Amino acid sequence: MDSWERLLKLDPDRTHTEAMLDQACKAPVDALILGGTWGVTTRNATDLALALRARKVRRPIWQEVSSDNGIAFGVDGYLFPIVLNALDIDVFARSYVKALRLYRSVIPWNKCESIGYVVMNEACAVARRARAEIPRDLEDVLAYAAYGTRLCGMKALYLEYSGTLGDVRVLQSVKRAFPHIHLVYGGGIETLEQMEIMKRFADTVVVGNVLYEKGLTRFLKATCTT
């Protein structure tokens, strides 16, 4: 993941038209991530991976795991998000323990990574599921970053604004305080220009909802003209 600068996230629980899948395969990103907060199953996640494979996608396909009964087959690796500001810490931990009971002996550990999440938007689905306590100010964000990286030893931190465009000044402050961390940003990206602004301080930027709401036409056109 260290070398990935741009990611496209696809939700297995959502409908994907042929046009959407074609755009996903052509998107100017380094990898495709399959993940969602609700409704992800082994079947729909695996079906989505196979649909992308059928188009001979040349980018890595990883799954962001959110439940023990939604592990996909046919992917290149797995991301395990740890929501650092979750009040209900068992939401993901319990699912991971159940999954490890079943798959521990066959999990490709060299293709698995954990990543600390700080949920920044109280209206997003993961905030509701994890009962996330949204940071009140920048000092809260920096405290969560220190908790994840210094105490838990996480190498990557994801600022999750899902559904809304975040404040680039927060990214700048986190990166300045923790220059060693691999900083990931996600939320509200609709144009390549917005992505590049966040890339000034984030090591990796994630695009997701725009695929379903507006399509990636603007991304593809911008790529063709650069």
Side-chain angles (χ1 to χ4, degrees):
M1 182 179 180
D2 290 346
S3 62
W4 296 344
E5 296 186 3
R6 301 170 183 82
L7 303 178
L8 175 64
K9 183 183 292 188
L10 297 93
D11 188 342
D13 192 43
R14 301 184 74 162
T15 299
H16 296 87
T17 65
E18 295 295 315
M20 285 181 179
L21 293 173
D22 288 341
Q23 285 189 350
C25 292
K26 296 175 182 176
V29 296
D30 300 300
L32 303 177
I33 305 297
L34 312 185
T37 304
W38 305 102
V40 178
T41 65
T42 294
R43 180 171 181 176
N44 62 24
T46 300
D47 284 349
L48 180 53
L50 293 177
L52 294 167
R53 295 287 186 205
R55 286 164 171 76
K56 302 188 184 323
V57 62
R58 297 180 180 179
R59 298 166 182 79
I61 301 174
W62 279 51
Q63 182 186 17
E64 181 185 69
V65 178
S66 58
S67 70
D68 55 291
N69 62 356
I71 307 295
F73 297 97
V75 297
D76 299 302
Y78 301 90
L79 293 174
F80 291 85
I82 309 295
V83 181
L84 299 173
N85 57 330
L87 292 178
D88 188 353
I89 61 174
D90 285 341
V91 167
F92 291 98
R94 188 184 302 116
S95 291
Y96 295 160
V97 170
K98 288 181 179 179
L100 291 173
R101 279 181 60 93
L102 295 172
Y103 305 113
R104 178 176 55 83
S105 61
V106 297
I107 288 176
W109 290 106
N110 62 324
K111 298 180 179 179
C112 296
E113 294 188 26
S114 63
I115 180 171
Y117 267 55
V118 180
V119 180
M120 302 291 290
N121 177 14
E122 64 183 357
C124 69
V126 67
R128 296 192 298 274
R129 181 179 175 188
R131 294 177 56 230
E133 186 173 48
I134 307 304
R136 296 165 298 176
D137 51 30
L138 178 59
E139 289 304 315
D140 270 358
V141 179
L142 295 176
Y144 283 121
Y147 169 50
T149 61
R150 302 298 191 188
L151 296 185
C152 300
M154 296 177 179
K155 298 179 180 179
L157 182 75
Y158 191 131
L159 296 186
E160 175 62 282
Y161 283 88
S162 183
T164 187
L165 193 64
D167 188 343
V168 70
R169 294 173 296 181
V170 174
L171 297 179
Q172 182 181 20
S173 297
V174 172
K175 194 62 177 178
R176 181 181 296 157
F178 302 93
H180 67 286
I181 198 173
H182 187 95
L183 185 59
V184 182
Y185 169 85
I189 299 291
E190 296 184 350
T191 68
L192 196 61
E193 291 75 18
Q194 291 174 333
M195 177 181 280
E196 293 306 315
I197 289 173
M198 296 304 177
K199 269 291 293 150
R200 290 167 55 195
F201 304 106
D203 299 289
T204 302
V205 176
V206 181
V207 176
N209 289 339
V210 66
L211 172 66
Y212 305 99
E213 296 171 358
K214 298 183 179 180
L216 298 179
T217 303
R218 294 179 68 180
F219 278 92
L220 297 177
K221 285 184 177 179
T223 304
C224 292
T225 57
T226 56

